[in-house]
Amino acid sequence: MHHSCIVHRTSRWSVHLAAETPALVPYDAMHAQVADEGTRARLADAVFNIGMFAIDTPGSKKPRSPFMGALQTYVECLETDSEVRNMVLKTSMDDATKRLTLATSTNASLPEPLPAAAATSCPRFADASARLRGAVDAAGVAYASLLDELVHGPAAQRGDVDLYRSAVARGESLEHFHVFRRDGPPDDDLATLSMHTDVGLFIVMTAPEYFSEPGAVRLEPGAGKPGTGFILELPSGELVRPVVPDGALLVLNGEGATKWMRLAGGSRHPRPASHEVTVPDISGMARAWFGRMYFPPRDALLQGSDTPVTWGEYRQQTYSAFRGGQKESASLVGCTPSRSLLQDEGSCNDDEVYCWMVRKGKGMGRPGPTGLQMLGRAVG
């Protein structure tokens, strides 16, 4: 039996539980033709109203080595190999959390290899990461087909809409392995990555795993494992902490699923998931995570713009601006400048494969002390 994900709904004064959001669906149900009516309804609600759901993916959640062991072997690799430690991108986040990133990509359905140092020095990680990347790839292809079914319906057979499965097959994806570390307790007033939406079509990602340092021993649920630190904004504006089943993959919609895709008139739009990450107190631990952001194809056109611009042009403009130290002049094409800011968390100063941009709305983030949505100290 597959259980729905539980969500802790939090406020300054109380913590209570509510079931059914976001949905947990079996992997097979991603293929719309085999999903029963109830599962299809839950998927549609997740896609159009929530922007996020979890996938119960076969092979990704062995009890002692979720995600094919890729996160654990990444932590081990960083611990034991100085060349890899020196090679990864090091970023200091807003709350002083340190992030270590190993990046690769997939272009037009062809996966790029890991950086040579990691592939050579850490063969166990290279093998595990290949299997995790394969599972995520299969989930992304399945979700793209599901979007074609739910968003386009019969219009998918026409030539005047952009098919998601074609976009995924032709576009570029960035694939990042992260390890987060911190030397002290978090500042309650700062998020590691404040409330934002992603600029891509969607993300397929792991839930975070935690490992002791040194030793890279996985922390088990209920035995000292911290919460995910993930916060999701619902359409009502309520902030919730999704409690994700151990070993599940997560799918989050990005802005690109609507802004860079031609949809038929009257189509429902996938809801971008506004979310925040706050790394908890992890002194003596490593928080490991993997995510793949799917970008539109380079020839995809911005929808609703008076001036034709392709995704490739937009991507190059923004990357060049960030790389040149002119983040304030980075193109805000596709959004109203007074309402949102394009940010890169420092990653676009390096190679483009690290440039995972996000959109932060002005006023997004944690409400002040008198705000109705003040987050309390919930577990999860």
Side-chain angles (χ1 to χ4, degrees):
M1 184 170 115
H2 298 281
H3 301 279
S4 291
C5 191
I6 302 297
V7 170
H8 288 283
R9 300 177 181 268
T10 68
S11 70
R12 188 178 182 186
W13 309 114
S14 65
V15 176
H16 59 281
L17 298 178
E20 302 301 328
T21 306
L24 170 67
V25 300
Y27 174 77
D28 288 346
M30 295 277 284
H31 301 277
Q33 64 270 23
V34 300
D36 60 62
E37 205 168 304
T39 301
R40 283 176 60 89
R42 285 197 298 145
L43 278 168
D45 181 60
V47 170
F48 298 121
N49 299 327
I50 305 299
M52 168 187 174
F53 63 94
I55 311 171
D56 186 6
T57 308
S60 73
K61 57 174 193 176
K62 293 181 180 178
R64 296 197 177 275
S65 58
F67 310 120
M68 290 75 175
L71 300 185
Q72 185 163 17
T73 52
Y74 178 44
V75 175
E76 291 172 351
C77 183
L78 288 172
E79 273 197 5
T80 59
D81 193 274
S82 59
E83 187 177 1
V84 174
R85 281 199 303 275
N86 292 332
M87 175 267 299
V88 295
L89 180 67
K90 301 168 185 68
T91 307
S92 183
M93 309 300 286
D94 290 345
D95 64 346
T97 298
K98 302 298 188 293
R99 186 180 71 190
L100 284 69
T101 303
L102 185 148
T104 186
S105 63
T106 292
N107 293 291
S109 302
L110 297 175
E112 296 292 329
L114 293 178
T120 302
S121 302
C122 302
R124 292 181 65 240
F125 169 59
D127 178 66
S129 65
R131 288 184 282 122
L132 176 59
R133 292 175 70 191
V136 167
D137 183 76
V141 170
Y143 184 51
S145 295
L146 178 68
L147 285 174
D148 284 335
E149 171 73 17
L150 295 178
V151 175
H152 295 315
Q157 306 305 317
R158 304 191 327 227
D160 59 347
V161 298
D162 289 332
L163 297 180
Y164 290 95
R165 59 180 178 268
S166 174
V168 163
R170 297 191 301 114
E172 178 189 16
S173 302
L174 298 188
E175 299 170 78
H176 286 185
F177 287 89
H178 290 324
V179 158
F180 296 87
R181 294 173 175 146
R182 59 181 318 129
D183 299 326
D187 183 332
D188 288 343
D189 294 327
L190 291 175
T192 309
L193 184 59
S194 58
M195 194 65 67
H196 65 280
T197 55
D198 294 299
V199 300
L201 300 171
F202 57 86
I203 294 175
V204 180
M205 69 186 200
T206 68
E209 289 287 322
Y210 294 89
F211 303 92
S212 64
E213 286 195 318
V217 176
R218 178 176 177 260
L219 301 181
E220 302 282 349
K225 181 178 180 178
T228 65
F230 186 90
I231 297 166
L232 179 72
E233 183 177 29
L234 298 179
S236 64
E238 185 178 13
L239 304 181
V240 299
R241 300 180 190 268
V243 179
V244 180
D246 207 35
L249 291 173
L250 303 177
V251 177
L252 274 75
N253 289 335
E255 293 183 353
T258 297
K259 288 185 179 296
W260 297 92
M261 299 291 288
R262 285 182 303 159
L263 308 183
S267 295
R268 299 180 71 184
H269 291 187
R271 181 178 188 270
S274 293
H275 57 286
E276 174 179 304
V277 177
T278 299
V279 173
D281 189 352
I282 55 169
S283 300
M285 306 177 211
R287 179 188 190 270
W289 174 94
F290 171 77
R292 176 172 170 178
M293 184 189 286
Y294 290 79
F295 285 148
R298 297 190 70 84
D299 59 357
L301 288 170
L302 178 66
Q303 301 302 299
S305 173
D306 294 333
T307 304
V309 60
T310 67
W311 168 258
E313 293 166 339
Y314 168 78
R315 173 82 172 150
Q316 188 56 50
Q317 273 184 357
T318 51
Y319 173 63
S320 296
F322 281 119
R323 185 74 185 272
Q326 299 176 342
K327 59 196 301 183
E328 68 282 351
S329 65
S331 173
L332 290 175
V333 64
C335 74
T336 305
S338 63
R339 294 186 56 200
S340 67
L341 299 170
L342 195 65
Q343 297 196 10
D344 75 322
E345 304 305 324
S347 58
C348 292
N349 294 328
D350 210 280
D351 191 277
E352 192 170 354
V353 74
Y354 291 103
C355 193
W356 184 304
M357 294 178 294
V358 301
R359 185 88 65 189
K360 295 184 180 181
K362 290 186 177 179
M364 268 187 176
R366 298 185 173 199
T370 59
L372 297 177
Q373 300 169 340
M374 188 70 176
L375 285 169
R377 294 182 175 274
V379 295

